[in-house]
Amino acid sequence: MPCHLHPTSALFGMGFNPDYITYHELVMTTKEYMQCVTAVDGEWLAELGPMFYSIKESTKSRAEKRVKAREELSAMEREMVLADEQLRRQKEEQKNKSKEGSVR
């Protein structure tokens, strides 16, 4: 349902419309006007009312999302390789220590 900011609203003459607003009152004339409006962050709505609102990232294309997912996956794989190497070194050090202890 299209609504418009009422001309007496503080947000009306700003030169741009906020992405998200909340309003207290609707005035029905030839158009529907919102009065008592407040600009809010969309994440606030999703955080405080998750049963009513969710955030959809529409600014990124599918290709950009795929590239980002690949980058994250490769970063995780590098971390796993480093963690495996570190674990392997620790095991070798423990084996060497146990060999030195049994030799004495």
Side-chain angles (χ1 to χ4, degrees):
M1 166 182 350
C3 293
H4 304 278
L5 290 174
H6 196 273
T8 61
S9 168
L11 297 177
F12 180 73
M14 292 183 62
F16 71 95
N17 289 335
D19 291 332
Y20 297 93
I21 61 169
T22 59
Y23 64 91
H24 177 68
E25 183 179 8
L26 278 178
V27 177
M28 306 287 275
T29 61
T30 55
K31 294 182 180 179
E32 292 187 34
Y33 288 105
M34 296 174 282
Q35 279 189 322
C36 302
V37 296
T38 302
V40 295
D41 187 30
E43 292 180 7
W44 297 348
L45 298 172
E47 181 181 335
L48 297 173
M51 66 287 296
F52 302 111
Y53 304 101
S54 62
I55 296 176
K56 180 180 177 182
E57 294 181 22
S58 61
T59 58
K60 296 181 181 178
S61 69
R62 288 182 183 162
E64 290 173 328
K65 288 180 183 178
R66 268 189 258 123
V67 167
K68 185 177 178 181
R70 283 187 200 133
E71 290 172 353
E72 290 174 353
L73 181 63
S74 64
M76 285 190 284
E77 289 173 346
R78 285 191 301 268
E79 288 178 17
M80 285 297 296
V81 167
L82 291 173
D84 285 341
E85 289 175 2
Q86 186 178 13
L87 201 73
R88 194 174 309 118
R89 274 190 249 121
Q90 288 175 351
K91 286 181 181 179
E92 287 176 9
E93 288 175 5
Q94 288 176 352
K95 284 181 183 178
N96 291 339
K97 287 181 182 178
S98 66
K99 285 181 183 179
E100 290 174 1
S102 63
V103 171
R104 291 180 183 176

